[in-house]
Amino acid sequence: LALYVPKQVSIHNTRLGILLRCQQITALSLIFWFTWVHNAWVHVARPRGHGLTLWREDPDPIKTAHTGVPHCQEPSSYWFRRSSSWKYEPTSCRSLPAYEVASRGADSFTFATLIQDSTVLSRLARCGEDMRQHCAWNVTAGIYTENGSECSCTVHEQYFVRNPEENRIVFVHGYRVEDEGDGANTEGDEEVSNGVLTIVTRPDG
C-alpha cells in the first residue's frame, strides 16, 4: 500500500491572509521611512580646513588716483554728528602709502576708509595771542593750549582714503575630507580643483 502526501499545501484563511498583507505593508513602510528620513542614498563628508593664505595685491594706480568719485568731490555729504565729541567730518580724500592701506591679522585684512589724525605741535618758538590765532585759524581749527612758558597747538583732521574699494585680496585655501562610509576614517590623496564651490560669509555666518 503506497500513500502519497502532497508537497504543496494551500491554506484558505481570510484572517490569516489579511494579517500577512498587514505585516508586508508595515515592513515596506518601515524600510521606506528609514531610507527617506536618514537619506541613506546621501553620503555626507565633513571637510576640515587645510590651510589659508592671504595677501594684498596693489590695485590699478589709474583707478586709485581717480578723484571724480563722490567721497572726494563732496566729502561733506557724508558728515555724521552724534554729539560734539562723536562726529565724522572728513574734508578731503587722500591716497595712503602701501604700508598704511591695510592691517593684516592672523586670517583677516582690515582696510582703512576714514582717517582721523591728531597732530600736536609742542615747544613752539613763540607763545602768545599771535600763536593762538594762528592755531585757531588753521583749516581744521586747531586747539591752542598754554602752560607757563610752553604752548602747543593740536590739530585734528579727518579725511577719506581715496578709492579703498580698488584694493584686492588674494587667498588660497584648501579642504581635507575624511571618508567615514565604512566606519573607519580614511584620507585620500585625490585633488579636486573643478566644481568646488567656495562661499565667503560674514563672521556671523
Side-chain angles (χ1 to χ4, degrees):
L1 178 64
L3 179 63
Y4 297 94
V5 178
K7 298 181 180 180
Q8 182 177 4
V9 178
S10 177
I11 301 176
H12 298 277
N13 188 313
T14 304
R15 294 181 178 180
L16 187 60
I18 294 175
L19 178 60
L20 176 62
R21 290 291 181 263
C22 290
Q23 291 177 341
Q24 292 174 338
I25 293 173
T26 301
L28 291 175
S29 299
L30 289 175
I31 294 173
F32 176 79
W33 176 83
F34 181 83
T35 304
W36 179 263
V37 171
H38 294 277
N39 295 336
W41 61 89
V42 177
H43 174 67
V44 178
R46 302 187 182 278
R48 294 183 301 168
H50 191 53
L52 175 65
T53 303
L54 291 170
W55 69 89
R56 170 186 169 273
E57 284 191 351
D58 291 332
D60 186 343
I62 298 177
K63 293 182 178 180
T64 54
H66 181 54
T67 58
V69 291
H71 69 276
C72 290
Q73 294 290 324
E74 300 179 1
S76 60
S77 62
Y78 296 89
W79 284 12
F80 173 79
R81 174 172 291 192
R82 180 73 176 269
S83 63
S84 59
S85 59
W86 185 0
K87 56 185 178 181
Y88 302 100
E89 297 179 351
T91 57
S92 63
C93 72
R94 307 177 190 176
S95 59
L96 295 179
Y99 61 87
E100 291 184 356
V101 170
S103 59
R104 169 74 184 276
D107 56 356
S108 65
F109 263 108
T110 301
F111 287 90
T113 57
L114 174 68
I115 303 298
Q116 295 176 302
D117 270 345
S118 296
T119 304
V120 180
L121 304 176
S122 60
R123 297 183 180 181
L124 302 177
R126 65 186 189 279
C127 298
E129 187 60 27
D130 291 343
M131 183 55 64
R132 181 188 300 275
Q133 292 181 6
H134 178 74
C135 180
W137 287 345
N138 189 286
V139 67
T140 54
I143 301 174
Y144 178 82
T145 58
E146 188 172 347
N147 183 14
S149 60
E150 296 184 354
C151 57
S152 64
C153 178
T154 304
V155 177
H156 301 284
E157 58 180 341
Q158 300 183 29
Y159 54 89
F160 283 120
V161 178
R162 185 182 300 166
N163 304 322
E165 67 278 1
E166 297 297 335
N167 287 283
R168 293 176 291 187
I169 299 177
V170 181
F171 63 92
V172 176
H173 68 112
Y175 301 104
R176 176 178 296 174
V177 181
E178 296 181 354
D179 186 5
E180 301 179 353
D182 57 356
N185 296 342
T186 58
E187 295 184 2
D189 296 331
E190 180 182 1
E191 293 185 0
V192 178
S193 58
N194 295 326
V196 179
L197 178 63
T198 298
I199 301 177
V200 180
T201 63
R202 297 183 302 182
D204 59 359

